[in-house]
Amino acid sequence: MIILVHGEDEYRISERINVLNKTIDSLELRQLNIIKMDANACTVDEFLSAIFALPFMSDKRIVYIENLSRNLTKFGKSDTTVSAKNEASLQDLLTMVPPTTKLVILEKGLDSRDRLMKLVGEVEGRIEYYPFLKGRQIIDWIVDMSNKIGVVIKGDAIQLLADSMGSNLRMIRSELTKLALYKDQEIVTREDVSMMVPFVREQNVFKVVDSAILGDKSNSLRYSKMLVTSGTSPVVLFRLIERQVRLMLLAKSLNQNGYRESEI
């Protein structure tokens, strides 16, 4: 079997690799039957040896190879490296992968016209694409991950996580785990996310400053209360507001004295 795994989402790709690795029963056998290679450096003999080696006390072995796409057109640089083989030769190699070997090709996001994608398709391999999630996809992923972790989280708290962290799924997973421990079977609210998630808390600091400058007393006090409750010093908030006011007055003074915006 040949699988081409590509995309920008490092977290989902790493999770896919974990799933593939677990198809080999025990940890000890995985160490003996999982091979990782780099097409920038490996020789044809090393590549072939890895593909054709028999599994050890298992019905399968997995061979991962990276950077194959960028090496397809590097002809003539060496007659001993994978990168020197032409596309026809590579296609021949792919057709010879035995049923006991699962060849997994790892790449960053490939263009649909990439030659490697065509080669994998021609040998009836599987192509899996993992782009960054967006919008509703991130929310659905958080809901699914929350269920797996066993944390009950309100919709507005999910939305805050998605808005604040975007497609950084690894960080979101980490924060969900911490929230689950913090709440211990209780429902996670938006306020919990604001207090417990450092990235969101940092954003709230700026919201306090902006609200105070704009004269929005209600929101300024609300964000301040959340931050103080989570351990932020009131003195720190005061100093940040004071500094912002001082910078605004300085900018106004410079503008009145004829300085251009780019100079300020």
Side-chain angles (χ1 to χ4, degrees):
M1 176 185 289
I2 299 172
I3 307 175
L4 169 59
V5 177
H6 74 111
E8 300 81 15
D9 195 330
E10 174 271 333
Y11 177 79
R12 287 197 296 149
I13 289 176
S14 68
E15 288 294 289
R16 176 60 174 137
I17 290 172
N18 287 337
V19 170
L20 289 170
N21 290 346
K22 288 178 182 177
T23 59
I24 298 176
D25 296 332
S26 71
L27 179 60
E28 292 77 10
L29 291 180
R30 287 175 206 160
Q31 293 173 342
L32 295 169
N33 289 291
I34 294 177
I35 307 297
K36 297 179 181 180
M37 312 187 78
D38 188 336
N40 288 329
C42 70
T43 67
V44 171
D45 287 342
E46 290 169 337
F47 188 46
L48 292 175
S49 295
I51 289 174
F52 289 109
L54 293 173
F56 181 78
M57 298 180 66
S58 177
D59 61 347
K60 68 177 71 68
R61 60 191 272 111
I62 303 174
V63 177
Y64 293 100
I65 184 163
E66 299 178 310
N67 301 314
L68 201 53
S69 176
R70 71 180 63 179
N71 287 299
L72 290 180
T73 56
K74 294 181 181 178
F75 306 127
K77 290 191 174 182
S78 169
D79 56 6
T80 61
T81 59
V82 171
S83 62
K85 293 296 179 181
N86 59 35
E87 292 167 10
S89 298
L90 178 59
Q91 185 173 4
D92 291 338
L93 287 174
L94 295 179
T95 59
M96 293 189 293
V97 176
T100 54
T101 295
K102 187 176 292 182
L103 176 62
V104 183
I105 303 169
L106 301 174
E107 299 284 344
K108 297 296 184 183
L110 297 177
D111 188 273
S112 59
R113 298 165 295 180
D114 191 277
R115 180 60 182 156
L116 180 59
M117 292 187 69
K118 183 178 180 182
L119 287 173
V120 172
E122 288 172 352
V123 298
E124 299 182 350
R126 184 194 306 165
I127 298 175
E128 300 180 5
Y129 179 43
Y130 296 91
F132 288 125
L133 297 183
K134 298 179 180 179
R136 184 69 204 182
Q137 294 174 324
I138 299 174
I139 292 174
D140 290 342
W141 185 91
I142 295 175
V143 171
D144 182 60
M145 185 55 64
S146 299
N147 291 332
K148 289 179 180 178
I149 293 174
V151 57
V152 181
I153 181 168
K154 285 190 172 182
D156 56 351
I158 291 174
Q159 187 67 59
L160 179 57
L161 275 174
D163 291 344
S164 302
M165 296 187 168
S167 58
N168 193 335
L169 303 186
R170 188 176 297 280
M171 185 182 293
I172 294 174
R173 166 66 187 267
S174 174
E175 296 303 332
L176 283 173
T177 302
K178 287 190 283 187
L179 286 165
L181 292 172
Y182 169 67
K183 295 298 289 186
D184 191 23
Q185 304 301 317
E186 295 181 11
I187 298 175
V188 175
T189 66
R190 183 183 178 91
E191 287 70 27
D192 294 325
V193 173
S194 296
M195 287 192 297
M196 294 300 299
V197 179
F199 187 79
V200 177
R201 193 163 62 242
E202 289 170 11
Q203 287 186 320
N204 285 339
V205 170
F206 293 108
K207 288 179 180 178
V208 169
V209 175
D210 290 344
S211 298
I213 296 299
L214 294 173
D216 186 349
K217 187 184 299 183
S218 175
N219 278 326
S220 181
L221 290 173
R222 181 164 65 91
Y223 290 126
S224 296
K225 182 179 179 181
M226 289 166 52
L227 288 166
V228 171
T229 303
S230 65
T232 302
S233 168
V235 176
V236 170
L237 297 178
F238 177 77
R239 293 299 183 192
L240 286 171
I241 295 171
E242 179 187 46
R243 177 177 180 275
Q244 190 66 21
V245 171
R246 189 167 60 250
L247 289 174
M248 290 177 63
L249 291 173
L250 177 60
K252 181 178 180 180
S253 175
L254 291 172
N255 179 261
Q256 291 175 340
N257 283 281
Y259 286 87
R260 295 191 297 266
E261 185 176 340
S262 59
E263 295 175 313
I264 298 174

